[in-house]
Amino acid sequence: MADDFGTSDVLSRREAAKYLGICLTTLGRLDVPKTRVRHRVMYKRDVLKKWIDDHTEGKKK
């Protein structure tokens, strides 16, 4: 995992919300796949990309 937000494979809740362009409250309400380690919630960048693709309206199957 890199230290730079731009190249990190694992994002914090705040970084994931920013990446998706939504607020933290909305992120918490959505069924976005996440990983919990004790009290920390983390999101994998590639999983977020796939989630976006899977929830894009009008995509070709």
Side-chain angles (χ1 to χ4, degrees), residues 2-11 15 18-19 45 49:
D3 292 327
D4 179 30
F5 169 74
T7 59
S8 177
D9 291 333
V10 179
L11 306 176
E15 292 169 332
K18 183 176 179 181
Y19 178 78
R45 184 184 300 272
K49 286 180 183 179

Side-chain angles (χ1 to χ4, degrees), residues 3-33:
D3 292 327
D4 179 30
F5 169 74
T7 59
S8 177
D9 291 333
V10 179
L11 306 176
S12 68
R13 287 180 62 240
R14 187 175 310 272
E15 292 169 332
K18 183 176 179 181
Y19 178 78
L20 295 172
I22 58 177
C23 69
L24 287 171
T25 303
T26 301
L27 178 62
R29 291 179 180 160
L30 294 174
D31 189 26
V32 178

Side-chain angles (χ1 to χ4, degrees), residues 19-51:
Y19 178 78
L20 295 172
I22 58 177
C23 69
L24 287 171
T25 303
T26 301
L27 178 62
R29 291 179 180 160
L30 294 174
D31 189 26
V32 178
K34 59 187 164 274
T35 301
R36 289 183 187 269
V37 178
R38 293 191 179 206
H39 66 279
R40 289 192 64 197
V41 177
M42 299 171 282
Y43 298 84
K44 291 182 70 177
R45 184 184 300 272
D46 58 339
V47 173
L48 290 177
K49 286 180 183 179
K50 182 177 182 331
W51 186 86

